Every structure is written in structure tokens, then in C-alpha cells.
Amino acid sequence: MKIPVSPSQPPLASRRLVRAALAGNPNTGKTTLFNALTGLNHKVGNYPGVTVERKTGRFLHEGLEVELLDLPGTYSLAARSPDEMVVVDVLLGQQKGEDPIDGIIAIVDASNLTRNFYLVSQLLELGLPMVIALTMNDLAEAKGIQIDAAGLSQRLGVPVVPLSAHRRKGLDQLKRALHETLAKPVQAPYETPIFPENLRLALYQLKQGIPARGGQNLPVPDIKLFRALIDSGGYTEKQLIVQSGRAFGDCLATARQAAGGTLPLSAIETKIRYEWISSLLNPYVKRPKALIPTRSDQIDKVLTHRFFGTVIFLGLMAFVFQAIYAGASPLMDLIDGFFVWLGSGASRILPEGALRSLVVDGVISGVGAVLVFLPQITILFFFIAILEDCGYMPRAAYLMDRLLSKCGLSGKSFIPLLSSFACAVPGIMATRTIEDRRDRITTMLVAPLMSCSARLPVYLIFIAAMIPDRAVLGGWVGLQGLTLFSLYLAGIIVAVPMAWLIKYVFFKNETAPFVMELPSYKWPTPRTVALFVFDSAVEFVRRAGTIIFCVAILVWAVAYFPHPATIGEHYGQLRRETWETFARDLLPLLQSLDPQRYGPDLNAERLQAALAEEIRLREEESVPPEWLPVRDRLDAYQKTVTQLNNQEAGEYLRNSWLGRMGRIIAPVVEPLGWDWRIGMATLASFPAREIIVAVLGTIFNLGADTDENSLSLREAIRQAQREDGRPLFSIAVALSIMVFFALCSQCVATLAAIKRESNSYRWPLFTFTYLTLLAYMGAWITYQLGVRLGLG
């Protein structure tokens, strides 16, 4: 029995655009070939309704434009994951929102033909025009494998093209073969495995028994019915039951019973396919009688060693982490400084008011909040691309799987979680290297629990202000350092039970066999690495960046409006009075030093211009000794004006919608030891955690430019009082705030990254909800324990 194939495709000679799919096993050079064919002319997105990445590109060959679709890597059309189900639906032309494909490029690893041809045997059964691209030929030669590509092509009736994508060898031959194949219909069915007659009868019975809807049977391809029949409990069966109803499941059970046999149907299929592959390849493939040890085998003796491999891996991860954490800092400071300079320039040009605040504090600050993450993202994905392309990433997953599997995760979760200590955004984006959907989603949802660099300013300001600087544990450990370490450790400890709980609740009935393939080592392809980094950066700016920018504008609005005019009038009057007092006291001194310049006819405008010149000279440290009293008075005047400006900003913030929201949530945060001001600062820090430091500076009339190193802010925190005169902050309150920030997902960039990687609002909403509740519980427990221990 041969599985019925799709009808032959009509000639495409008259068409100028055709669609071809790249299909193959993981780690066969598929991405390298895609990049070599399409270059920068590609787009990355998601398939509608699923969390599977969709990557398309185009290239032109002799007037024919080919749209290339890079399908997720799969070992078989027996779909066991959403990625593999997308491959099946795209190949069958049944993927929602996707036009049918015209042909297939099957990627085959020449060094592992038997395993790769299992998928090829299934692709041939689709009856679509196909070209086989033989990759990894240098590795096959190193193993002593010789392939007669021409003979194999003649036997199959399919072009077989050896190539080396990273060296750009064989690309023209592949394009030509694809063009010729697509330009003519399939003349006859390809040679494919022959299955027992009882399977044919069972397939016919299943097809006739499909429940009718609307008086007609649903058009289900024979290939899909065959997969549902063979793959018990697979995604194809589940999908057809959803589409056709539970009655389809009954028909399926009856058909399987009719197929009979002592072996499972999947085992029968496997046996028949591998027998067919063996008979197909033996005449055209020569292998050495004994295995030839390769360079990869020699390297693996060290890199996958239980002890030495782990030590090397941890050292490599320490280097990558340091590069992300420290290497990105100068570039992030440069980007941040640029947007500060841009904001200062806009402030000088635009008149004071809502427009200037929108442009400076909303638009410019919002764009800066997006682009400031790019250095960390590009550095992380640069290393991930190198490790993935050279073949080391699966080894790293193998080494870490024993540890992380006990925590409900896989070995591939280690690098995303480690990266999240620098920034959760690139860490979450790195989860795309995890094939298993359960592990990928679970890793995304616990990654925000790793204390990122944005939390550090929050920790530092409260530790320095409220935690005593003394030694503990016999004088070996500082209490402040121990507190900081404990906060980092808290996220790790909480992540373990949360990972188990998430898997138990959301993925309890999903099981996925753990398959780990260790591909041969090879030198990374610069083009592949560069395109991978470029795609990651562009996707972050295009998708996550849009959300970050919109939320930044929203937070600016609630922190600015309603902006009562009475506050501006009050502080404007105070500034005028301060100027008049200053000018009245200073004018006699100025006239005694320079009677001609500061004569009796000097008005306020000329006095301001003259003082501006004096300020410039003072900044250049060119003030003559006799002018030092003037400089001192200018310093005192500027300090007074700065204090008034800070007080005005604090008054605006306290009377904004954000301030009103802080008062509304005051009863909610009171059990944590907070008052409305801390609640307001926490709300304002939703776009980014570290914003709380600048907001506290504004609240305490110190200005928004204060940072975690500000001694005045530390002192203001110590001296702050509640309305009844009690201290606002205590050790218990400080610990409560830090625990809340250690556990809560107050980072819109992180939530936007989860939305982008999961292609769903469900997971970021769940993440924000569960982490906020978790943080609230942690902060409440911390404060209550602190009070009982006398730290309140």
C-alpha cells in the first residue's frame, strides 16, 4: 500500500512568484541555508493563533521570485508539539492565514542520511515538487561517507544537490534545480515506502466514517488521516477531534482496531520506513566498515565530561554574563546620555508647558527606555548565535539538564535564566532556543524572578539608608552585603516551586519525550550570526518596543495631569520674590566692584544678563578674588531656586492622577508598612523598577535627577515622617519594599517580551498577576516578621 498523494501541481512557468518551504531535521544547517539564500530580505513573525515563529524571505532567480518559508525543524510529520503541527499544516496547505506552498526544499544532513531520510520519506508522500539539499558534506567526508548524489537523484526522481551554505557553494545549482522543478508538474508519484494492506483498509474505513457537518464530509487530506491513525494521542488526532467532534475519536478507535497487528501502528511505520531507507541508500552510499573518530568526538570527551565539562561551561557562562552585565553598561550609558542631551535640547527650544513635558518626559524618554536595552540584547544574542551555530548549545543543555530537570525545567533553560540576572528582556527572548513548549513557557514565566540589574538601584538605596553597616556571623560577613545576597537568592528559591506549580497547573497532561541531539562542531558562520543578532534587535524594537513606548507615554500622562495652574502661580511668585531679594542685596556689592557696568540705571533684565556672564565666568573658574562674595551669593541664589523647582515638581506629582491613585491604594499597601507616597512611587515604577529612585527624589523635593548614590536621598529616607510624626521608613519597611521589588514584575519591557515570544496576552497578564500577588505576600510576611523582631 502506498499512501495516496496530493494531485500534481500545474506548471508554474507563467507565474512570477512561487512559494517553497524549507523542511528538515534540527541542526542540519537549515537556518544557514535560509540566510544564504535570502540575506536581509526576510521577515520574522508568528503564525496566527500559535506561539511558533514564522520566518519568510525572498530571492530572485532568472526572473522567478521565490518566497522561502523556513519551517521549524522536525524529525517527523508525527506531530507531538505545536511547532511540528505547524509544519504539517503548512505542508498540507491547511495552516490558517498561510497560502499553500508550491514546492519543498528538503534539508538532509549528509553525515546522518538514515535518520534524515525518515522525514524525506514522509515529504515524498505529499506529492509536491521537491529538491533535496545535501548539507554537512565536509563532515560526511570526515566520517568516510561517500554519496552518489546523481544516482540517488535518478532513483528518487528528485534533484539531489550537495552544497555548503556557509561557503556559498552549490547555491546556484540549488536555485536552478528548484526553478526547473517548480516549472514542471510532477510526472508520476515518487518512490515511497509500501505499507501493509490492512493499513490501507483501515485508512479507507476512517475516511468513510468522518462525521459529516452541514451535509458534507470535512475535506481532510489522506496524509493527515494516516498520521491520525498511526500517531495515537498525537497533535493531528487532537486537532481533528476538535474540528470534527468526539465522533471522530470513535471512528479512529474503530479503524485502529481494524488495522490489528501485534505491534503498535507507529512501530510498524518506523520498521517499514527504515527498511525502505536502507534499500534506497545502500546502492548509492558507501560507509567505512568501522566508525572513524571525528574531531567532535575528541572535543566531547572534555566538553561533555561530568566534571571538566561543567567547569568549562560555568566559566563560559560567567564570561557571557559579565559581558552582558559590564560590557553593555558603557553603551547603555551612552544611549541614556544621548537621550538626556536630546531632552535638554528640546527643553531649551520648546516653551514650558504640557507639550514640552510630553516631548521630553514622554516621547524622548519613552524612546530611550526602548533603545537602552539594545546593547544587552545584541551582546546576549551574539553569544547565543555563536554557541548555537558552532554546536555547543546542545552540550550546555545536556550538562545542565540533570540539575534543572529536578526544578521542573530543562537544561536549555539555564542560559535564559542566567541572562535574566542582567536583564529579563534578552533572557526571555533567549527562550526561543527551547524547543519544548512547556519548558519554554515555564522558563519565560519564572525568568522575571531573577534579580536583574534594574533592581540593583532599589536594593542599594534602601540598604545604604536603612540597613546597619556592621559585620555579622563572627565578623566575616557584612550585614549590608548579606542583605543584598539574600535578595538575589530569594528569587532563585521562589522560582523552583513556581516552575513546578506552573507545569502542574497548565501543562499537567502534556508529555514530551526528551530528545537531545549533539551535532558535530563547526565554525560559526559570520553571516548567520550577524543576521541572528540583527533579527533579534529589530524584532525587539518593533514589537516589545511599541508596548514599552506606549506605556511610557501613559505613565507620563498620569504623572503630569491635571497639573493645577495654582501650583505654578504660587511657585512662580516665590521665585520672583527670591530674585528681587537677591538682586536688592547684591546690587550694592556689584556697584562697588564695577560702577560703570552696574550703574544706577541697571534694570532687572540687564542685571540678569550681566549675572549670566558672571555665572559663565565662575563655571570657567576665572573669577577674580574680589568677586568671590558675588559667586557665593550666586551659589546661594541658585540653590534656593533649585529647591523651589524641586518643591514645585514634588507638589505637581503629589497632586497628579498618579498621586491620587497612590492615596486610593493606601489602605491596600498599609499592611506592608507603606504609606501613600511609597505606593505612588511603586505605581510610577511600573515601566521600569529603577524609576522609584527618581520618583522618591521628586517626592522628597530633591529633584528627579537623584540616583542610588545620592547622600541627600538616603538622608531624606531616614528623616521622612508619616502624618502622625512616626518615621516613614524602618528596617522592616525597607526590607518589605526590597522583597516586593525582588519578586514583582514591575517592568513593562519584560511583559512586552513575554507577549512577543508567546504571541499571546494571556501569559504576560498571568505573569504580572501571579508575581504581583506573590510579591505582596512576600512583602507582607517580611514586614510582619520584621515588626515582631523589633525592626519596625
Side-chain angles (χ1 to χ4, degrees):
M1 166 216 168
K2 284 179 175 286
I3 301 174
V5 299
S6 305
S8 298
Q9 299 294 310
L12 304 176
S14 61
R15 291 170 52 183
R16 294 296 90 193
L17 174 65
V18 295
R19 304 181 79 244
L22 277 179
N25 291 181
N27 302 307
T28 54
K30 186 162 58 67
T31 299
T32 303
L33 177 59
F34 177 84
N35 291 333
L37 290 173
T38 63
L40 290 175
N41 188 24
H42 66 266
K43 297 186 295 183
V44 180
N46 283 89
Y47 289 96
V50 291
T51 61
V52 180
E53 186 175 79
R54 179 185 186 273
K55 193 172 184 180
T56 60
R58 294 192 179 192
F59 67 87
L60 192 65
H61 183 263
E62 297 181 359
L64 180 68
E65 188 173 18
V66 178
E67 183 179 50
L68 206 56
L69 185 61
D70 187 11
L71 296 177
T74 182
Y75 294 101
S76 165
L77 296 186
R80 295 281 176 180
S81 70
D83 300 52
E84 294 173 347
M85 196 67 248
V86 164
V87 173
V88 174
D89 283 337
V90 170
L91 292 174
L92 294 176
Q94 293 196 328
Q95 176 62 40
K96 181 181 178 181
E98 195 74 44
D99 294 330
I101 60 171
D102 300 305
I104 302 171
I105 300 178
I107 314 300
V108 172
D109 180 357
S111 65
N112 204 337
L113 288 172
T114 301
R115 190 202 65 208
N116 280 247
F117 260 82
Y118 191 94
L119 176 62
V120 170
S121 70
Q122 296 174 327
L123 296 176
L124 289 169
E125 291 166 349
L126 299 176
L128 292 170
M130 189 165 77
V131 176
I132 294 177
L134 280 181
T135 62
M136 312 291 183
N137 292 280
D138 50 347
L139 297 176
E141 293 176 4
K143 292 181 177 181
I145 300 174
Q146 299 178 9
I147 304 171
D148 180 4
L152 187 60
S153 174
Q154 186 174 6
R155 168 76 179 271
L156 282 173
V158 171
V160 179
V161 183
L163 53 85
S164 178
H166 64 284
R167 294 189 179 96
R168 305 188 67 79
K169 292 182 179 179
L171 295 183
D172 290 338
Q173 292 89 328
L174 178 65
K175 292 178 182 178
R176 189 179 307 112
L178 180 65
H179 192 164
E180 293 173 355
T181 301
L182 292 173
K184 60 183 180 181
V186 178
Q187 299 299 324
Y190 300 120
E191 179 180 344
T192 56
I194 299 177
F195 293 92
E197 188 66 17
N198 62 329
L199 280 181
R200 185 188 69 81
L201 295 174
L203 184 62
Y204 177 80
Q205 182 177 343
L206 178 61
K207 187 173 184 179
Q208 296 302 312
I210 295 177
R213 286 192 177 179
Q216 296 181 347
N217 284 1
L218 295 174
V220 182
D222 291 336
I223 296 292
K224 209 164 192 177
L225 289 176
F226 181 78
R227 292 264 49 96
L229 179 67
I230 297 293
D231 307 325
S232 178
Y235 263 74
T236 306
E237 176 183 344
K238 295 176 182 177
Q239 185 188 69
L240 291 178
I241 288 176
V242 170
Q243 293 175 355
S244 306
R246 297 299 306 178
F248 178 81
D250 299 333
C251 293
L252 196 56
T254 303
R256 285 172 180 160
Q257 187 175 4
T262 57
L263 291 176
L265 297 183
S266 58
I268 295 174
E269 179 196 21
T270 301
K271 180 175 180 295
I272 291 173
R273 289 195 187 279
Y274 277 118
E275 288 176 349
W276 176 82
I277 291 169
S278 179
S279 65
L280 172 73
L281 296 180
N282 283 341
Y284 308 105
V285 180
K286 294 181 179 180
R287 298 181 176 88
K289 294 181 179 180
L291 290 176
I292 300 176
T294 64
R295 184 180 302 173
S296 292
D297 297 329
Q298 301 297 323
I299 295 174
D300 275 339
K301 290 181 180 179
V302 178
L303 293 188
T304 60
H305 189 274
R306 179 174 296 184
F307 176 74
F308 296 109
T310 303
V311 171
I312 293 172
F313 171 72
L314 293 177
L316 181 61
M317 290 302 100
F319 174 76
V320 172
F321 180 77
Q322 183 66 19
I324 297 171
Y325 192 79
S329 293
L331 295 174
M332 295 176 74
D333 292 341
L334 187 64
I335 294 173
D336 186 58
F338 170 76
F339 281 99
V340 169
W341 171 81
L342 194 63
S344 300
S347 297
R348 289 191 294 269
I349 296 173
L350 297 173
E352 185 175 356
L355 177 61
R356 184 170 79 177
S357 182
L358 171 62
V359 172
V360 176
D361 301 323
V363 176
I364 295 177
S365 179
V367 174
V370 173
L371 298 183
V372 76
F373 289 101
L374 280 180
Q376 290 181 325
I377 289 171
T378 53
I379 290 174
L380 171 64
F381 278 94
F382 171 74
F383 284 111
I384 287 180
I386 289 177
L387 296 176
E388 188 78 46
D389 203 33
C390 75
Y392 181 75
M393 191 70 83
R395 275 85 177 176
Y398 165 76
L399 290 169
M400 289 294 105
D401 188 72
R402 179 173 299 181
L403 171 64
L404 291 180
S405 61
K406 298 177 182 178
C407 304
L409 299 170
S410 75
K412 290 193 173 183
S413 301
F414 185 82
I415 291 179
L417 292 178
L418 179 69
S419 305
S420 296
F421 280 103
C423 179
V425 174
I428 290 168
M429 293 178 68
T431 60
R432 62 183 62 171
T433 62
I434 305 174
E435 290 87 0
D436 182 52
R437 175 176 175 267
R438 303 178 309 153
D439 292 336
R440 184 167 65 247
I441 296 294
T442 304
T443 304
M444 284 184 206
L445 302 191
V446 299
L449 287 168
M450 307 300 110
S451 280
C452 64
S453 58
R455 289 179 169 106
L456 190 57
V458 185
Y459 298 161
L460 292 180
I461 190 65
F462 285 107
I463 288 176
M466 300 307 303
I467 305 300
D469 185 11
R470 58 184 176 85
V472 294
L473 302 179
W476 291 94
V477 180
L479 183 58
Q480 291 184 334
L482 181 62
T483 303
L484 181 62
F485 173 75
S486 300
L487 291 166
Y488 276 83
L489 189 62
I492 300 173
I493 293 174
V494 172
V496 175
M498 291 310 305
W500 276 111
L501 188 61
I502 289 169
K503 273 201 168 182
Y504 179 78
V505 173
F506 293 105
F507 309 110
K508 180 170 58 175
N509 296 323
E510 294 186 30
T511 58
F514 181 72
V515 178
M516 181 67 69
E517 180 186 4
L518 301 183
S520 300
Y521 291 103
K522 65 184 182 70
W523 287 106
T525 307
R527 182 186 182 89
T528 300
V529 172
L531 287 174
F532 184 78
V533 174
F534 177 78
D535 286 342
S536 301
V538 169
E539 279 302 294
F540 167 74
V541 173
R542 187 170 66 90
R543 294 200 174 194
T546 303
I547 299 175
I548 298 170
F549 176 76
C550 292
V551 173
I553 296 295
L554 178 62
V555 172
W556 163 82
V558 297
Y560 182 84
F561 292 107
H563 212 71
T566 54
I567 295 176
E569 294 171 358
H570 172 69
Y571 282 95
Q573 179 62 31
L574 292 178
R575 280 189 288 267
R576 285 191 296 272
E577 292 174 357
T578 301
W579 164 255
E580 292 171 359
T581 302
F582 166 72
R584 185 172 58 250
D585 293 343
L586 186 62
L587 189 56
L589 177 59
L590 291 172
Q591 290 176 342
S592 66
L593 292 172
D594 192 345
Q596 294 183 349
R597 187 175 186 182
Y598 299 101
D601 59 339
L602 187 67
N603 57 28
E605 184 177 346
R606 290 177 55 195
L607 178 60
Q608 281 186 305
L611 288 177
E613 178 66 15
E614 301 298 346
I615 292 172
R616 185 187 66 78
L617 294 173
R618 174 175 59 81
E619 290 175 348
E620 295 175 358
E621 298 183 356
S622 57
V623 181
E626 61 272 18
W627 283 84
L628 291 178
V630 176
R631 186 188 66 179
D632 293 340
R633 295 192 184 186
L634 281 172
D635 287 339
Y637 167 72
Q638 287 189 321
K639 183 177 180 179
T640 302
V641 172
T642 300
Q643 290 175 347
L644 289 174
N645 291 339
N646 291 339
Q647 291 171 9
E648 182 182 26
E651 193 72 17
Y652 276 127
L653 182 60
R654 288 187 288 271
N655 285 273
S656 66
W657 290 335
L658 184 63
R660 298 174 187 179
M661 292 166 63
R663 289 184 173 86
I664 291 173
I665 68 168
V668 178
V669 300
E670 185 178 355
L672 310 182
W674 305 359
D675 78 340
W676 69 272
R677 289 170 291 181
I678 301 176
M680 178 179 66
T682 303
L683 287 176
S685 64
F686 171 74
R689 299 174 181 92
E690 65 272 24
I691 290 178
I692 190 176
V693 178
V695 175
L696 288 173
T698 302
I699 290 173
F700 295 126
N701 300 329
L702 299 175
D705 56 349
T706 53
D707 57 25
E708 66 273 16
N709 299 314
S710 172
L711 297 178
S712 58
L713 180 55
R714 297 178 188 178
E715 186 60 28
I717 289 174
R718 296 189 191 102
Q719 300 299 326
Q721 294 183 341
R722 301 174 188 268
E723 294 178 357
D724 58 5
R726 291 182 297 122
L728 175 59
F729 293 95
S730 64
I731 294 178
V733 172
L735 290 174
S736 171
I737 295 172
M738 289 187 288
V739 168
F740 186 90
F741 275 77
L743 301 180
C744 190
S745 182
Q746 291 166 290
C747 180
V748 68
T750 297
L751 299 175
I754 295 175
K755 160 62 178 69
R756 184 262 176 273
E757 294 302 317
S758 67
N759 195 34
S760 169
Y761 285 101
R762 172 193 179 189
W763 295 119
L765 288 174
F766 171 75
T767 302
F768 178 75
T769 303
Y770 102 81
L771 286 178
T772 301
L773 294 175
L774 188 66
Y776 186 91
M777 292 172 56
W780 179 80
I781 293 172
T782 301
Y783 176 70
Q784 298 301 328
L785 285 176
V787 170
R788 283 162 176 74
L789 293 173
L791 303 177

